[in-house]
Structures are given as structure tokens and as C-alpha cells.
Amino acid sequence: ETGVTQTPRHLVMGMTNKKSLKCEQHLGHNAMYWYKQSAKKPLELMFVYNFKEQTENNSVPSRFSPECPNSSHLFLHLHTLQPEDSALYLCASSQDYRGAYNEQFFGPGTRLTVL
Amino acid sequence: AQTVTQSQPEMSVQEAETVTLSCTYDTSESDYYLFWYKQPPSRQMILVIRQEAYKQQNATENRFSVNFQKAAKSFSLKISDSQLGDAAMYFCAYRGTFMEYGNKLVFGAGTILRVKS
């Protein structure tokens, strides 16, 4: 596969469940991102990892727990979510996070519904 | 903090016609990047066009062009000869150039573009 892939594409979970979202990039990039996309709102940057180190955490609730085991994989672990957490979760990657501009490439997203 | 505003939640255009999507932004920086991204239904978001603020010339990519008005902090996207495949959500985004900001994008809320045949 090429580009940025995300699994699952759709997920329905109860508030007491624990689930994980997976992102994989095949571009040789060193920076990976999690975004939350809610209807009629701008994309919200949640986390950034650069060379496997967490660089940004935009005041995300602790019920979202990211993990970056290597530069190609990024996970978002979910537990005790709320219905307002229902959204499209997008993963992106870029060559680097610091320095000159470099393009972010996005995955197709995971549509999450919390019941 | 930088903000990006897209004042048109939805737009419609007839196939083969031209449509312009609006975007305004707020920043105190003098140098930055501006982008338009396209997100087709259930498909990946892709970069359509990019503009560097220090360049006076408006960026163009085939049927896509921008009208960059730096003083007015306006960055509109013009799509010429609209095609059915142009139907998507379009996001305007901003990136500063200072090293401490990192490669962080600030997005607008998006404009849904519908193309009528």
C-alpha cells in the first residue's frame, strides 16, 4: 500500500469500551499527526509525534492516549469516551515537524461513533 | 493566535462554470503559507494549491487559482470549468514560518462545494 492508511474506517463503541485506531504511513516520513474533524468545525490538531517523540498535545483529554512505536505507525487508544467524541479522526504525516515547510499527507480517516 | 475563517458553509456551481470560495485569516506575521485542501466524500484530503505570502504572484494549478490579497488578509480559491469530480469539502489552511510553530496547520471550518450537471 502507498500513502497513509487508517484502520478501521468505521468504529462504533459504547462509552465503557476500549478501542484503538491505527495509522500507518508508507512515505518514509518522520512526523505523524492526529486530527479530530467534527461537523461544521475546523480540524483540530490533537497530537504530533516527531521522530517517535510527542511534540504537541493540544490539551486533549486523557481518555485519548496516543502511541508511536516507530516513525511509520501511530495509534490512538480510546477509553471511556463521551458521545461528543464522535467525529472523523484523521491521521497525517510529513517529512519532519520542525524546520522549513513540508507537506502533510492525510489518511482517509476513521469515522467514530460513541453511543 | 492565528485564525482562519471560511464564511460560506456551502456553495453550488453548474458543471463547466466558475466558482470562487472565500477565505480570510488573521495573523500578525509577515511571512507564512496558505493552502487549499480538498476532501472528497469518504476519501483522503489532498492539497490543491499553496501560496507563499512573500510571493506577490497568485498561485495557479491547472483549473485552480487563488486571489491572494495580503493587505486584506484574503485568500480565495477560483475553480474554472468546474467538473463533477470537484464536488468536495474545501478547507483553507494557514501555516506560520517561525520555527517554534512547527509544521502546524490552522484550518478553517470548510466549504462544501456541490457541482450540478
Side-chain angles (χ1 to χ4, degrees):
Chain A
E1 292 206 56
T2 59
V4 181
T5 59
Q6 291 186 243
T7 55
R9 294 293 307 273
H10 300 272
L11 178 63
V12 180
M13 60 186 289
M15 289 191 286
T16 59
N17 291 158
K18 289 184 180 181
K19 297 287 185 182
S20 295
L21 310 184
K22 178 183 176 182
C23 175
E24 184 173 1
Q25 58 93 2
H26 308 267
L27 300 169
H29 289 165
N30 297 301
M32 296 189 77
Y33 311 71
W34 277 119
Y35 288 89
K36 177 183 180 182
Q37 183 179 356
S38 304
K40 300 182 180 179
K41 292 178 65 177
L43 269 73
E44 302 170 56
L45 180 64
M46 300 174 71
F47 302 102
V48 180
Y49 278 81
N50 198 37
F51 292 90
K52 301 189 295 178
E53 297 296 320
Q54 189 177 119
T55 307
E56 298 280 345
N57 177 342
N58 284 347
S59 304
V60 180
S62 59
R63 57 186 183 270
F64 294 92
S65 175
E67 178 190 1
C68 188
N70 55 62
S71 292
S72 298
H73 294 84
L74 184 66
F75 295 89
L76 188 62
H77 304 301
L78 316 171
H79 63 98
T80 59
L81 294 190
Q82 304 298 312
E84 59 265 29
D85 297 323
S86 298
L88 182 68
Y89 288 84
L90 295 175
C91 175
S93 72
S94 69
Q95 188 60 48
D96 197 351
Y97 186 65
R98 299 295 179 191
Y101 161 75
N102 48 102
E103 183 178 344
Q104 291 185 29
F105 292 82
F106 287 81
T110 295
R111 174 68 64 185
L112 174 66
T113 303
V114 181
L115 301 176
Chain B
Q2 293 82 15
T3 58
V4 176
T5 302
Q6 293 179 250
S7 59
Q8 306 155 317
E10 291 190 28
M11 292 283 285
S12 291
V13 63
Q14 200 69 35
E15 204 174 359
E17 297 291 308
T18 296
V19 64
T20 298
L21 308 184
S22 301
C23 173
T24 59
Y25 58 94
D26 188 28
T27 184
S28 59
E29 298 179 322
S30 59
D31 198 15
Y32 45 86
Y33 299 94
L34 294 165
F35 312 89
W36 279 99
Y37 280 87
K38 172 185 177 182
Q39 186 181 40
S42 302
R43 292 175 60 188
Q44 276 150 291
M45 187 152 61
I46 59 172
L47 179 65
V48 174
I49 200 165
R50 183 182 91 213
Q51 174 81 43
E52 288 93 338
Y54 68 87
K55 290 184 178 179
Q56 293 187 339
Q57 187 172 6
N58 289 325
T60 61
E61 287 288 342
N62 301 313
R63 297 182 295 106
F64 298 86
S65 62
V66 299
N67 183 4
F68 173 49
Q69 302 289 327
K70 191 172 184 179
K73 295 181 181 175
S74 170
F75 182 62
S76 61
L77 175 70
K78 185 172 82 171
I79 306 174
S80 304
D81 186 24
S82 296
Q83 300 174 359
L84 294 177
D86 295 333
M89 175 82 88
Y90 286 82
F91 291 97
C92 179
Y94 169 101
R95 182 198 186 267
T97 56
F98 288 126
M99 296 283 286
E100 60 266 30
Y101 292 157
N103 200 30
K104 188 181 299 184
L105 294 172
V106 178
F107 285 89
T111 297
I112 297 173
L113 178 65
R114 305 188 194 282
V115 181
K116 302 175 185 177
S117 58

